[in-house]
Each structure stands twice: as C-alpha cells, then as structure tokens.
Amino acid sequence: MSAVTAEEAGRQVEEVLDRLAATEDAEACAAAEELVRVLMEFYGAALGRAVELLQRPADQSPGSPLEGLLGDELVASLLNLHGLHPEDLPARIARALDGIPHPVEQAGFDAASGVLRLRVTASTGCGCPSTQESVRQAAVDALACFAPEVTGVDMEGAAASREPALLQIGSGPPRAVSGGRSSATAS
C-alpha cells in the first residue's frame, strides 16, 4: 500500500465528487457527498478516540497503550475495516465475548458461513426466549466491532443443569370479607 498524503487524498475526493456532479444525477451526487461525510465522521471519531486513549495516564490505562486501542470498539472497528487489527480471529472473538454482560462460551465457529454458536454458561434470568435473544444480540453487537467475519450468531439450548425458572408465589389465600366473597372478588 503506497503512502497517500492528505493533500492528494483530498484532491482525489474532490475529483470524484466533481465527476459525479457533472453527471447531472443530483441524487447520486448527494448520496456520494453523504457517504464521504459519514466516513469522515467515523474516521474522525475513531482517531479522536485513539488520541484520547493514548493520552491517558499509565495508571488509568488497561495494560499497554496498544491494549487500550485494541479493546476499544470504535478503534477496533477501524483497524478491522482496513485489515490492520493485529489479533487473529479467535482472539478478537474472545475479546468481544469478554466484553458482553452475559457469561457465554463458544460452542463452535463455521468459517465458511461465518456463524458462531454460543452457549450461555450461567443463569441469565428466567430462561425465556427473550432473555436468550438479548444475550444473542449483545454478542452480535460486540462481534460487529471486534470480529466482523462473524456474520451470524446462533444460541445453543440452555444446559440441562440450568437453574429452574423463578416461580412467583403469593403471600397466602385470599381473605374472606363479609357476605362470603373473597377480597379478590369484592368490589
């Protein structure tokens, strides 16, 4: 990859936008300008975050300066986008899963399809499908930043030794009121 100066890159972007404007397709030109704006915001945010992380005092940083950069979702996304993230895929998957608030373990990864199978390793509430979906979505969100090669996440069924669901028990039978009606049916 050859080094590109900021001046040269700016000139190339302007040339492309000028060519689009010359096509008289206002919609395509507006879309291209919006694309450039969104990318500039993304790059600016990631670079700003990198500078912020590198300026932290050593006693406030998690490990080495590189560790701080690799552990940041925004910076990791930019590194992955350009194939510059120094960690291999298994390390990035582990980093992503370590960052979610649910205890999960990998049950397998199919590189051909990009699907990662996960298993919940501890109780995550009632065991309801909505709880499983929230765990899956947390993993999907984290993996998008750290391991974009993972294109899908499947949750394996809960282990047989899972804790039973919480059962709600009332405080006792309904109290009787005058007239033989219970308090639950009294108006």
Side-chain angles (χ1 to χ4, degrees):
M1 185 182 257
S2 63
V4 176
T5 66
E7 182 180 350
E8 183 179 332
R11 186 172 40 254
Q12 289 174 351
V13 168
E14 286 297 324
E15 287 173 6
V16 171
L17 291 175
D18 287 346
R19 283 197 320 260
L20 277 169
T23 66
E24 298 182 15
D25 186 345
E27 191 174 316
C29 189
E33 287 178 2
E34 181 179 359
L35 176 63
V36 170
R37 181 187 53 74
V38 168
L39 285 172
M40 293 294 291
E41 287 175 1
F42 171 63
Y43 279 78
L47 291 170
R49 183 73 177 138
V51 168
E52 176 187 324
L53 290 168
L54 291 172
Q55 288 179 334
R56 282 190 178 165
D59 62 339
Q60 294 178 5
S61 297
S64 71
L66 181 59
E67 181 64 26
L69 294 174
L70 299 181
D72 184 80
E73 290 183 358
L74 191 56
V75 176
S77 294
L78 186 59
L79 293 171
N80 282 319
L81 179 65
H82 292 284
L84 298 173
H85 202 293
E87 295 178 328
D88 63 7
L89 180 59
R92 290 183 286 118
I93 289 173
R95 183 183 290 278
L97 297 178
D98 285 345
I100 65 172
H102 311 284
V104 295
E105 66 182 13
Q106 294 183 51
F109 176 64
D110 180 11
S113 67
V115 175
L116 177 66
R117 287 187 337 274
L118 297 177
R119 180 181 310 116
V120 176
T121 59
S123 176
T124 57
C126 65
C128 305
S130 63
T131 303
Q132 289 287 316
E133 178 56 24
S134 68
V135 172
R136 190 192 74 76
Q137 190 59 52
V140 165
D141 293 344
L143 289 160
C145 297
F146 293 104
E149 299 91 336
V150 177
T151 58
V153 174
D154 288 340
M155 297 299 296
E156 286 192 351
S161 64
R162 187 176 66 80
E163 294 176 20
L166 177 64
L167 182 62
Q168 296 292 328
I169 300 175
S171 61
R175 292 180 294 173
V177 293
S178 62
R181 296 186 314 187
S182 73
S183 62
T185 59
S187 32

